[in-house]
Amino acid sequence: MTMILAALIPGAKPTPIPGMNGPVAEIFGYGLWLLILAGVGGVGYGVYKLAVSDKSRNGGGSEPFKWMGGGLAAVILSSSLIAILNGIAG
């Protein structure tokens, strides 16, 4: 499991945050990267659903946009948290 995560998550040395050392900081950092990957997956799945959706009047046209919006929100949330934590660690 660790090898799979290591292959998906880009190698980066996180900046240590004062008062948050050791495994907590590492798990938190990996969690934020996984949130970014999940957001990208959600956007990709939304684009796929939009490409293959029923374009007639009866089709559920809003579902792909829900996937894309949720994925984009996850990416924005996690990237802003990463930026805030890097600013605190400074």
Side-chain angles (χ1 to χ4, degrees):
M1 180 72 172
T2 307
M3 296 300 288
I4 295 171
L5 289 178
L8 292 175
I9 299 173
K13 182 74 174 141
T15 308
I17 299 169
M20 192 164 97
N21 296 333
V24 173
E26 188 173 342
I27 290 171
F28 192 70
Y30 282 131
L32 289 174
W33 276 111
L34 288 174
L35 186 60
I36 287 176
L37 292 175
V40 169
V43 170
Y45 187 67
V47 169
Y48 166 75
K49 289 202 57 96
L50 184 63
V52 299
S53 67
D54 183 15
K55 305 290 192 296
S56 69
R57 290 183 177 262
N58 301 354
S62 65
E63 185 182 3
F65 296 105
K66 291 177 187 176
W67 278 98
M68 288 187 278
L72 188 63
V75 169
I76 289 172
L77 173 72
S78 58
S79 61
S80 65
L81 285 174
I82 289 172
I84 289 169
L85 290 175
N86 283 338
I88 291 172

